[in-house]
Amino acid sequence: MDIDALLRTAAEMRAGDLHLQEGRQPLARCNDDLVPVAADPIEKEDMLSWLASRHEGLRNGECLSFSFVTTDGLRCRAHWSTELAGIHGVLRLLYPLGSLPDDEDMDILTRLSRLRAGLVLAVGATGSGKTTTLWRMLTYLNTHRACHIITLEDPVEYVVSGEKALIAQREWKRHFTSFAAAVKEALRQDPDVILVGEMRDAATMEAALTAAETGHLVFSSLHTQSAAQTITRIIGMAESGQENFLRYRLSLSLQAVLAQQRRFVNGTTHIYREILTRTPAVAQLIRSGKEHQLQTLMQTGGAEGMRTMEQALRKDGVRE
């Protein structure tokens, strides 16, 4: 079975992911459902042959992640693993930003892109569009500001040529082995903006926060579900006895949290966001450990661009 042909079909269906499980029909993620892409099951030999054609190999007990470009020029992200059923590959289709619908929150994304320093976080579940949100802001910068952008990614998803900006894209395992060390190295390269693909551990969080404190605009992501949970998660990374100091630093550097969900409503995929932006009141709640009260500030902070997830969903009559 031709996996490249399956990817073409999935792209025509505007699928988000293509699932290939040994001995099963290939399935495409279309909105909320998995839809068959072919009538026949895919075999182990088909998958191993395709991996070999891309100079990749999969061994039992290991997972394999990489990005690639299809024969039609569409960039994808692949994750392969072994399981009881055999081999399972998940190929995520990364459509060019210009081909995606306009973002309803582009005004706030543009405003955040214009910041000169601080930390901006896109958070949410896997597949909620965090990377796309971050790249919408970087794309705005690329066309509007003569600056140096360094991205640290796993893997590189969007390959972008510099326009007004100078863009240096680096990939984990290919160009660096530690996100924390890569952030520190980036600070020696005269950056204006740094994208840290994901804050996975305390060392990466510390490095990203230091970069934000030293006059750089830092974008990153976390797998958290809300603004308040994001604050709690970051503080939870602090060494014992350093929580209050970390709260103080975060209250000064954190500029925004965009907590998002992807929902399928009325035949269309929508991104709904809870938005927290930095105000003196928000900074005070972070410093004092009262992030559970952030919900109230977001409910009444419309003038600053804030809203809760409930407010975002209510606009389209969607339940939480």
Side-chain angles (χ1 to χ4, degrees):
M1 186 173 290
D2 187 344
I3 291 178
D4 289 322
L6 294 175
L7 283 165
R8 280 195 294 274
T9 301
E12 290 168 1
M13 298 165 65
R14 297 298 288 184
D17 297 276
L18 175 64
H19 284 262
L20 304 173
Q21 186 185 59
E22 185 178 330
R24 285 286 308 271
Q25 284 179 293
L27 300 169
R29 172 73 65 183
C30 294
N31 301 313
D32 289 336
D33 300 318
L34 289 176
V35 181
V37 179
D40 297 327
I42 190 164
E43 303 299 334
K44 178 179 182 179
E45 291 72 21
D46 298 323
M47 295 186 276
L48 293 178
S49 175
W50 184 86
L51 284 169
S53 72
R54 297 187 177 277
H55 308 289
E56 301 283 356
L58 181 65
R59 291 181 290 183
N60 282 332
E62 293 185 353
C63 293
L64 181 65
S65 293
F66 58 92
S67 57
F68 65 96
V69 178
T70 69
T71 53
D72 296 323
L74 179 64
R75 195 163 181 84
C76 297
R77 185 179 73 198
H79 182 81
W80 293 84
S81 60
T82 56
E83 56 191 33
L84 285 176
I87 297 175
H88 187 179
V90 182
L91 311 183
R92 173 155 294 175
L93 288 75
L94 305 170
Y95 300 99
L97 288 175
S99 72
L100 300 177
D102 292 338
D103 195 299
E104 296 177 7
D105 291 322
M106 201 59 214
D107 286 347
I108 186 68
L109 298 186
T110 297
R111 192 177 103 193
L112 296 174
S113 302
R114 290 173 176 161
L115 294 170
R116 291 289 168 155
L119 179 63
V120 176
L121 298 175
V123 307
T126 299
S128 60
K130 299 185 295 296
T131 299
T132 299
T133 293
L134 294 172
W135 270 103
R136 286 189 188 275
M137 291 186 280
L138 291 177
T139 299
Y140 176 86
L141 279 167
N142 188 28
T143 56
H144 288 81
R145 182 181 169 191
C147 62
H148 183 198
I149 300 171
I150 297 177
T151 74
L152 308 171
E153 306 172 69
D154 174 29
V156 169
E157 297 191 7
Y158 297 104
V159 176
V160 179
S161 299
E163 295 184 29
K164 198 166 185 178
L166 171 66
I167 300 180
Q169 293 184 260
R170 305 183 68 205
E171 186 171 84
W172 184 56
K173 289 186 177 179
R174 184 178 177 188
H175 303 117
F176 63 93
T177 57
S178 160
F179 273 92
V183 174
K184 293 177 182 177
E185 291 169 4
L187 292 177
R188 301 187 183 100
Q189 297 175 303
D190 185 34
D192 298 289
V193 181
I194 301 173
L195 168 68
V196 183
E198 183 183 341
M199 292 207 299
R200 299 178 173 180
D201 51 42
T204 304
M205 181 275 297
E206 170 66 27
L209 191 55
T210 297
E213 290 171 329
T214 53
H216 305 86
L217 180 57
V218 180
F219 295 104
S220 192
S221 69
L222 275 172
H223 286 100
T224 47
Q225 301 301 312
S226 68
Q229 189 182 102
T230 300
I231 306 302
T232 302
R233 170 77 178 277
I234 292 174
I235 300 304
M237 296 181 185
E239 294 182 8
S240 179
Q242 295 297 308
E243 293 86 355
N244 288 339
F245 182 51
L246 181 54
R247 285 189 178 280
Y248 174 75
R249 296 174 65 196
L250 193 62
S251 72
L252 295 178
S253 295
L254 183 64
Q255 296 293 333
V257 178
L258 308 170
Q260 46 190 71
Q261 295 180 15
R262 185 190 297 272
R263 296 287 191 95
F264 184 60
V265 180
N266 299 325
T268 307
T269 300
H270 292 265
I271 299 295
Y272 293 98
R273 291 189 183 94
E274 175 176 278
I275 300 175
L276 174 73
T277 58
R278 187 180 185 279
T279 65
V282 167
Q284 177 57 33
L285 289 183
I286 294 173
R287 274 195 301 271
S288 59
K290 298 177 180 177
E291 55 263 28
H292 61 280
Q293 295 181 16
L294 290 173
Q295 191 83 354
T296 300
L297 288 183
M298 287 186 289
Q299 287 172 343
T300 58
E304 288 80 24
M306 290 194 276
R307 63 168 176 257
T308 64
M309 183 59 73
E310 181 184 7
Q311 289 171 322
L313 294 170
R314 191 190 306 150
K315 180 185 64 175
D316 288 345
V318 182
R319 295 182 179 179
E320 269 196 280

